[in-house]
Amino acid sequence: MKLTGIEMRRIRMPLVAPFRTSFGTETERDVLLLRAVTDEAEGWGECVAMSDPLYSSEYVEAAADVLRRYLVPALAARPPAAATAVAPALQRFKGHRMAKAALETAVLDAELRGSGRSFARELGATRERVPCGVSVGIMDSVPALLDAVGGYLAQGYVRIKLKIEPGWDVAPVRAVRERFGDEVLLQVDANTAYTVGDAPLLAALDPFGLLLIEQPLDEEDVLGHVELSRRVRTPICLDESIVSARAAADAIRLGACSIINVKPGRVGGYLEARRIHDVCAANGIPVWCGGMLETGLGRAANVALAALPGFTLPGDTSASDRYFRTDVTAPFVLEDGHLPVPAGPGLGVEPIPEILAEITTASEWLPL
Ligand code: OSB
Ligand code: MG
């Protein structure tokens, strides 16, 4: 396989409803897509960096800049014959994992399309469909939240995740339990909004039988999570803190978490995400597939990853219509609470040209 260049394309997609977390409110996605062109096939990679550095230090303009200035030129200097050669070629540049992940994914997609292999097969998926959860943002009122949760349950989502922050935690959880019962699989995500001093407050969630509390403390506060794990009965799950397979192994060894959320963008790509899956499987740690409000392109790869055997909890792999009125690919549609794992070559989905053209705000060709 010979890589001839990378197209960087920016697309703008309004969200169906504002999505509020402890770090901010998103009303639209400004997504960077990469198209890898090789002599055999083309491949797509979606960069999950958000508009502002609020979830993590990465943001979309920085991703575009580092790709243009360093990452694509590094591939030009050391052309990868296969996707496995991408991460080693980019390794000397620190951080920027979401940008690296998008580049590796685009090259991997091109390679797999060229040889007729699917992401699912390549990653080691063992299922043809995956159960889906949904992440529910912070709302203006408890009645508004109950309406939203009721709507998602009616659509068939098998697990509900509530975004929480100080002042919006015990009350919404109690209200959801009272209205929808104890059988609903329920978890919460704080996106680093608490400190270890909040342990008594977080322990007040224990009676509600949550599956997990996701990333209650700062990204770098691994020992704080160890301490919290001892003071709270609900399992602690890490998201932001787990930036690599090494970070996952360390967090497990230290006892900072008993569950891990795997997001390929956060960890530098699907190949590293699979390594985290393997580390966790070897340690008996359940994993689930997180999300970053992806389009159908990123979703296709996430659903393939979520079909690996260690992904034993439902992921944030929701249907297209939970995010967008019009997806850039054929929409992912929930069937009995599940999404089908694409089986075609590569991602198994492609952008619809007319839609892609309509939502594109900029494009740039980076030759190799
Ligand atoms: O912390 O899991 C998170 C969305 C954007 C950034 C961070 C997170 C999220 C979500 C939604 O919770 C996941 C999704 O449905 O894609
Ligand atoms: Mg999270």
Side-chain angles (χ1 to χ4, degrees), residues 351-366:
I352 297 164
E354 301 76 45
I355 296 176
L356 183 62
E358 202 170 309
I359 61 180
T360 295
T361 56
S363 79
E364 191 176 336
W365 174 250
L366 306 173

Side-chain angles (χ1 to χ4, degrees), residues 37-355:
V37 179
T38 76
D39 56 346
E40 285 165 20
E42 294 184 1
W44 291 91
E46 174 171 344
C47 180
V48 300
M50 316 210 80
S51 303
D52 304 302
L54 300 174
Y55 162 77
S56 72
S57 64
E58 287 184 75
Y59 61 102
V60 67
E61 280 292 346
D65 187 74
V66 77
L67 279 156
R68 188 187 290 126
R69 205 186 286 269
Y70 299 105
L71 305 184
V72 175
L75 291 195
R78 229 173 110 177
T84 51
V86 171
L90 307 180
Q91 199 193 1
R92 68 195 189 93
F93 300 111
K94 310 297 189 196
H96 297 284
R97 291 180 172 89
M98 293 175 182
K100 291 174 176 175
L103 188 50
E104 182 189 79
T105 303
V107 174
L108 179 57
D109 187 31
E111 179 185 339
L112 296 178
R113 286 184 202 262
S115 61
R117 288 173 289 154
S118 69
F119 257 70
R121 186 199 133 163
E122 184 68 9
L123 293 174
T126 53
R127 281 171 290 179
E128 284 169 7
R129 58 181 212 150
V130 297
C132 299
V134 59
S135 176
V136 186
I138 295 166
M139 304 270 166
D140 290 336
S141 69
V142 166
L145 176 72
L146 295 177
D147 279 354
V149 170
Y152 290 130
L153 290 173
Q155 289 171 43
Y157 286 103
V158 305
R159 182 227 73 193
I160 300 291
K161 159 169 141 181
L162 302 182
K163 290 294 195 176
I164 61 167
E165 65 182 5
W168 182 266
D169 39 42
V170 176
V173 167
R174 174 182 292 120
V176 168
R177 276 287 182 242
E178 279 175 1
R179 169 72 71 88
F180 301 106
D182 293 337
E183 303 305 300
V184 174
L185 300 182
L186 186 64
Q187 63 193 55
V188 295
D189 184 1
N191 289 110
T192 77
Y194 295 85
T195 66
V196 76
D198 293 318
L201 204 168
L202 293 168
L205 293 170
D206 284 341
F208 298 102
L210 301 178
L211 286 171
L212 58 90
I213 302 176
E214 181 179 348
Q215 198 71 42
L217 312 180
D218 187 81
E219 175 184 333
E220 296 181 11
D221 194 3
V222 176
L223 291 181
H225 285 104
V226 175
E227 166 86 16
L228 194 63
S229 303
R230 297 190 180 121
R231 295 170 62 182
V232 172
R233 264 193 295 118
T234 309
I236 303 295
C237 169
L238 291 177
D239 172 354
E240 285 89 331
S241 296
I242 306 300
V243 297
S244 63
R246 175 174 292 160
D250 289 355
I252 294 166
R253 167 91 86 90
L254 285 166
C257 62
S258 52
I259 300 173
I260 287 178
N261 163 334
V262 182
K263 284 183 187 170
R266 193 193 64 220
V267 305
Y270 288 86
L271 302 180
E272 185 74 1
R274 181 174 52 188
R275 279 177 217 122
I276 295 181
H277 164 274
D278 295 349
V279 164
C280 289
N283 284 278
I285 296 288
V287 296
W288 55 281
C289 184
M292 293 289 288
L293 315 175
E294 285 90 345
T295 76
L297 290 167
R299 190 161 313 287
N302 284 352
V303 167
L305 181 70
L308 268 64
F311 284 75
T312 54
L313 291 167
D316 283 345
T317 50
S318 308
S320 293
D321 69 358
R322 183 258 171 269
Y323 310 95
F324 312 111
R325 223 151 72 83
T326 311
D327 207 335
V328 66
T329 62
F332 278 85
V333 179
L334 209 62
E335 287 165 29
D336 189 26
H338 290 66
L339 286 184
V341 178
L347 296 174
V349 300
E350 45 280 313
I352 297 164
E354 301 76 45
I355 296 176

